Amino acid sequence: MARCFLAEYKGKAVAGNSMAPLRIRIRAPDFDPSELIKENMLTLVGRLTNLREQETSSVIPYLAMKWNMEPSSVSNLGRDCFQFRFARGEDICEVLSNKPY
């Protein structure tokens, strides 16, 4: 004969009966990103995927040298991400066709 224990006896609660306060919704203001898109059109953002073998501090100078870039146009964004800003559209097209990336 099988016994059925109620949730109260087991010390369990029913999901969704939380008494947590409701979060207040905030409305983001209307924003036109067209100026930011235009500003960052010649920007390449990268992220390291093999953190055991690579360090951002050594990959950035290597890629800058490989792509003949000025060190001032390279930024370390943190969290293993980096950013390259190009002066001309031809430069970014050359980098993307030349590899490694």
Side-chain angles (χ1 to χ4, degrees):
M1 184 165 123
R3 292 177 112 178
C4 181
F5 292 104
L6 298 176
E8 294 88 29
Y9 293 125
K10 296 180 188 178
K12 296 183 178 182
V14 178
N17 284 347
S18 174
M19 296 302 291
L22 296 175
R23 287 187 171 179
I24 298 173
R25 289 189 159 219
I26 57 172
R27 184 164 179 83
D30 290 333
F31 178 69
D32 182 22
S34 60
E35 187 64 33
L36 286 173
I37 291 170
K38 199 180 294 183
E39 208 176 281
N40 292 300
M41 192 169 280
L42 299 176
T43 300
L44 183 126
V45 177
R47 187 177 131 237
L48 298 179
T49 56
N50 190 355
L51 300 176
R52 290 185 193 159
E53 300 294 326
Q54 300 170 322
E55 291 183 17
T56 310
S57 59
S58 59
V59 170
I60 289 175
Y62 169 75
L63 290 175
M65 182 183 69
K66 174 88 172 157
W67 295 338
N68 297 323
M69 299 218 28
E70 294 291 323
S72 61
S73 61
V74 182
S75 303
N76 185 348
L77 301 177
R79 292 191 160 184
D80 309 312
C81 295
F82 52 88
Q83 175 183 28
F84 286 90
R85 288 187 176 267
F86 295 90
R88 300 177 306 146
E90 295 84 23
D91 294 339
I92 194 168
C93 288
E94 183 180 334
V95 164
L96 291 175
S97 65
N98 197 12
K99 301 175 187 167
Y101 51 80

